[in-house]
Amino acid sequence: QRLLRGEYAKRWTVEAIARRVGCNRTDLEAAFRQRDFGSVHTYLIACRIAAAKELLRTTAWRVEEIAKEVGYRSKTSLYEQFRRRTTMSPEQYRERWKHAAPTPAVFALLQRLVRTSD
């Protein structure tokens, strides 16, 4: 898990991951399923989508740039996986987040209010 969370952008195969952690593919897949992570591939995709969400929330990067940064060869690949897991496009996610998140000024005000109420 730690390897994939830290190196999700690499072009991994399950065999390469198994070799890297010192076991065979079957044992690796079994360990992931035993911990309810699904397959190794599913877990890797989840790591990439989580990273893409973070970049969509915190940067103004284009989706193409984000796709490459998190390990996808194309914008289309990111779109497919993102939609499958969130039911929206990366742009829709960014737009919803923008409207849901407080502006920096509101956030600063909220922090001051919390500090003064202590």
Side-chain angles (χ1 to χ4, degrees):
Q1 294 166 269
R2 217 178 354 230
L3 173 66
L4 295 180
R5 281 192 310 247
E7 299 183 32
Y8 53 81
K10 285 190 175 182
R11 302 221 189 281
W12 289 110
T13 63
V14 177
E15 290 81 9
I17 296 166
R19 275 193 310 273
R20 177 85 178 267
V21 298
C23 67
N24 64 45
R25 178 189 177 129
T26 304
D27 291 343
L28 181 64
E29 290 285 5
F32 268 74
R33 284 195 167 83
Q34 184 179 12
R35 289 176 179 82
D36 292 327
F37 295 133
S39 70
V40 174
H41 184 67
T42 300
Y43 188 81
L44 176 58
I45 291 170
C47 291
R48 287 176 173 171
I49 297 302
K53 285 179 173 180
E54 178 71 16
L55 291 170
L56 287 163
R57 289 190 306 263
T58 60
T59 72
W61 293 2
R62 295 184 338 233
V63 175
E64 296 87 354
E65 295 168 313
I66 292 172
K68 297 239 187 291
E69 182 69 21
V70 301
Y72 288 103
R73 291 183 182 168
S74 71
K75 174 181 171 179
T76 304
S77 298
L78 174 60
Y79 262 83
E80 287 175 13
Q81 296 300 333
F82 203 93
R83 269 199 187 279
R84 215 175 271 159
R85 282 159 180 77
T86 66
T87 69
M88 64 183 84
S89 72
E91 287 91 354
Q92 289 169 325
Y93 179 84
R94 177 177 270 161
E95 194 62 27
R96 276 196 186 174
W97 180 259
K98 193 182 340 177
H99 293 296
T103 65
V106 170
F107 187 73
L109 176 63
L110 290 172
Q111 285 183 316
R112 275 183 277 166
L113 290 173
V114 168
R115 277 190 229 124
T116 58
S117 67
D118 289 340

